[in-house]
Amino acid sequence: MLASDSPPRADWLICWAQDGPGAGPFKDLRVDMRCVRAPPGTGAGHTTGTDSSRHQAHLGVGVEGVPLADFCEPPPPGGVETMAPQGSRAPLEFGGPLGAAALMLLLPATMFHLLLAARSGPARLLGLPPHLPAPGALWSPGALLLWLTWLGLQAAFYLLPARKMAEGQELKDRSRLRYPINGFQALVLTALLVGLGVSAGLPLGMLTEMLLPLAWVATLTAFIFSLLLYLKALMAPASALAPGGNSGNPVYDFFLGRELNPRFGSFDCKYFCELRPGLIGWVLINLALLVQEAGLRGSPSLAMWLVNGFQLLYVGDALWHEEAVLTTMDITHDGFGFMLAFGDLAWVPFTYSLQAQFLLYHPQPLELPTASVICLVNAVGYYIFRGANSQKNTFRKNPSDPRVAGLETISTATGRQLLVSGWWGMVRHPNYLGDLIMALAWSLPCGVSHLLPYFYLLYFTALLVHREARDEQQCLQKYGLAWHEYCRRVPYRIVPYIY
């Protein structure tokens, strides 16, 4: 364990011992403890600085010339910290500025391609749609008004009294932000308002004819919002910046986001966008597509019912367990820039509803036995997804909870424990495995004649593999040797015996 019970010594690198804990720089050290006095003048040591790269210890040389780079770990909050050299920054991700610029063009283009392909006759995932829309088809004042009304409505629900207030993770300045847990309440209120509107004659199915202009104004909103957030972050203190969004390159920082938790008063922009307008908008678009299909064919198809039901369960689960998002990489690590703003506001509602869009224009026959098998696949995925996430969240809240107290763990130098049994002893990311199984179940009702409905599965696989790699790197930096031991004990990342 980290020797944090002794006063900080600026001339010592205090690291974790593979075979046992030390209680201080000199007490109870075992033979293979990776701790040495830093040579005078090297600058190696611990400070209480809050540099974003503080987890990268100064390099020294250990016993018998063993490098210390792979053994030093960060301390628990309030303990001794390692400090990176002045001016160091986190390594650039997503291909750096050039990759960020390319993604800012590629992601919106992909979204519009999917919207057009879903309604075209060939419905090809690869290749241009046979007919491109006129520029005027992308702009509609009514769509802009509807979109702004939607954002305002969800913001009003966010500000309503919450069933509880939760604290986020500890920040660099040792403070904790408070968040309202009322996302599921917003979903229910939205459903009531939509139900009242439909009963009063609201043509909900007409929403499907506005998907292109709505996607356009959502994309413009993401760009403008990201620019405002970037300008706001220029005036933010260093302690408020995200670990990876302050590279100094404006394109890269605009994409990744400079400020970790941009707020206007108590209104947290990133937390609001993460689950509210996009996820709830996703199920609303699905419902509009179901209503439109009922109007065209007399009743919704079984395939459309399955897609709506599966994805409503997924969104409802996310909002019911909204507090769990406070420990995710999006909230704790990534800044709020174009990557998350576009993803939350545009990509999620208009791309994740792809299966329902496809079924409206390309109805698929589905027999009850096949539908039952697909329901079973989704149930298995949801069982793994919810079981793994619940186990993780229960353990994080209270490791002594009877539901997790008997699980095997590995101690780390930060004071935290790594689960090495239960769901998290099967693979390192069992929740991702459940996510992918559910993604397959959402696509199967669309048949196997087209690749287009399986775009979500292909994209989500790439996303989770990339996310898993980012998470692995952060865990390695945070937990050091303990993470190496965990990877040895749990060798598979997402899919047992495959990956």
Side-chain angles (χ1 to χ4, degrees):
M1 299 290 287
L2 184 75
S4 59
D5 56 337
S6 300
R9 292 284 301 272
D11 56 348
W12 281 88
L13 286 172
I14 306 172
C15 304
W16 186 68
Q18 185 173 9
D19 293 335
F26 302 106
K27 295 183 287 183
D28 300 330
L29 295 183
R30 301 198 178 185
V31 174
D32 65 345
M33 175 67 86
R34 318 295 184 179
C35 298
V36 296
R37 176 181 289 275
T42 62
H46 294 278
T47 73
T48 56
T50 57
D51 184 87
S52 63
S53 301
R54 64 184 181 276
H55 293 166
Q56 302 172 5
H58 286 285
L59 299 183
V61 178
V63 179
E64 298 180 352
V66 178
L68 289 172
D70 294 333
F71 299 100
C72 292
E73 297 185 5
V80 185
E81 296 191 20
T82 57
M83 184 179 70
Q86 290 293 329
S88 66
R89 291 190 174 98
L92 300 186
E93 300 177 285
F94 302 100
L98 185 61
L103 286 172
M104 282 190 284
L105 297 175
L106 180 62
L107 291 174
T110 300
M111 180 184 68
F112 283 106
H113 168 71
L114 295 173
L115 287 170
L116 293 171
R119 64 181 62 199
S120 70
R124 291 192 298 263
L125 177 59
L126 304 176
L128 291 176
H131 302 289
L132 295 179
L138 296 176
W139 174 252
S140 165
L144 176 62
L145 179 61
L146 180 61
W147 176 248
L148 295 178
T149 301
W150 175 252
L151 293 179
L153 177 67
Q154 295 305 318
F157 289 159
Y158 175 95
L159 296 172
L160 290 176
R163 57 187 172 101
K164 66 176 291 189
M165 298 291 293
E167 286 190 340
Q169 299 291 296
E170 187 175 89
L171 303 176
K172 293 178 184 178
D173 60 2
R174 305 301 188 218
S175 66
R176 292 178 184 268
L177 297 175
R178 290 173 59 80
Y179 298 87
I181 307 301
N182 58 3
F184 192 81
Q185 174 182 324
L187 176 64
V188 172
L189 291 174
T190 301
L192 291 175
L193 282 180
V194 171
L196 290 174
V198 170
S199 64
L202 178 70
L204 182 61
M206 295 301 295
L207 183 63
T208 62
E209 303 300 324
M210 302 179 67
L211 290 184
L212 278 176
L214 282 172
W216 180 254
V217 296
T219 302
L220 289 179
T221 301
F223 271 106
I224 296 172
F225 193 28
S226 301
L227 178 60
L228 294 177
L229 291 171
Y230 179 83
L231 295 176
K232 178 181 181 299
L234 295 177
M235 299 178 287
S239 60
L241 300 181
N246 55 347
S247 69
N249 184 283
V251 174
Y252 181 81
D253 293 344
F254 174 85
F255 175 76
L256 208 62
R258 296 194 75 239
E259 193 171 358
L260 183 62
N261 301 291
R263 286 191 164 205
F264 294 96
S266 62
F267 191 92
D268 191 291
C269 299
K270 181 167 68 172
Y271 177 70
F272 166 72
C273 291
E274 185 76 10
L275 295 181
R276 311 300 183 93
L279 283 187
I280 301 176
W282 171 17
V283 296
L284 182 60
I285 290 173
N286 276 354
L287 180 60
L289 292 161
L290 183 146
V291 170
Q292 184 76 341
E293 185 183 52
L296 291 174
R297 303 187 179 100
S299 65
S301 64
L302 179 56
M304 182 69 83
W305 276 117
L306 288 186
V307 168
N308 268 257
F310 292 162
Q311 296 181 352
L312 176 60
L313 171 65
Y314 187 80
V315 171
D317 177 271
L319 293 169
W320 181 260
H321 298 95
E322 183 180 24
E323 187 174 351
V325 79
L326 299 180
T327 60
T328 61
M329 184 186 299
D330 287 357
I331 298 295
T332 63
H333 179 268
D334 292 337
F336 192 41
F338 180 81
M339 179 180 72
L340 289 182
F342 175 78
D344 293 339
L345 299 177
W347 183 266
V348 167
F350 299 104
T351 299
Y352 285 18
S353 58
L354 180 63
Q355 288 94 351
Q357 295 179 47
F358 174 83
L359 288 173
L360 176 63
Y361 300 102
H362 307 273
Q364 300 293 315
L366 186 62
E367 300 297 330
L368 191 58
T370 305
S372 301
V373 173
I374 296 174
C375 287
L376 179 61
V377 172
N378 190 76
V380 170
Y382 180 74
Y383 176 73
I384 297 173
F385 172 82
R386 176 45 39 215
N389 278 322
S390 294
Q391 190 175 80
K392 175 187 66 175
N393 295 330
T394 300
F395 184 79
R396 282 178 173 176
K397 287 181 180 179
N398 180 18
S400 300
D401 190 295
R403 292 171 292 178
V404 296
L407 297 177
E408 188 178 356
T409 62
I410 296 175
S411 299
T412 73
T414 66
R416 292 188 176 185
Q417 306 287 317
L418 297 176
L419 282 174
V420 74
S421 63
W423 287 111
W424 300 87
M426 180 177 67
V427 290
R428 297 179 212 166
H429 299 275
N431 51 338
Y432 291 0
L433 174 61
D435 243 328
L436 292 176
I437 294 173
M438 285 189 289
L440 174 62
W442 300 352
S443 303
L444 288 174
C446 300
V448 294
S449 60
H450 290 77
L451 183 61
L452 182 67
Y454 291 84
F455 170 81
Y456 176 82
L457 175 61
L458 300 174
Y459 149 76
F460 210 55
T461 300
L463 173 70
L464 291 183
V465 168
H466 178 262
R467 191 180 185 89
E468 178 271 336
R470 296 179 68 205
D471 187 58
E472 291 267 331
Q473 184 61 34
Q474 291 178 30
C475 287
L476 178 60
Q477 293 177 355
K478 188 174 183 180
Y479 301 122
L481 282 179
W483 186 254
H484 281 298
E485 174 63 14
Y486 174 69
C487 293
R488 185 188 69 81
R489 298 277 297 274
V490 187
Y492 297 103
R493 298 173 180 234
I494 298 177
V495 183
Y497 305 105
I498 297 177
Y499 177 76

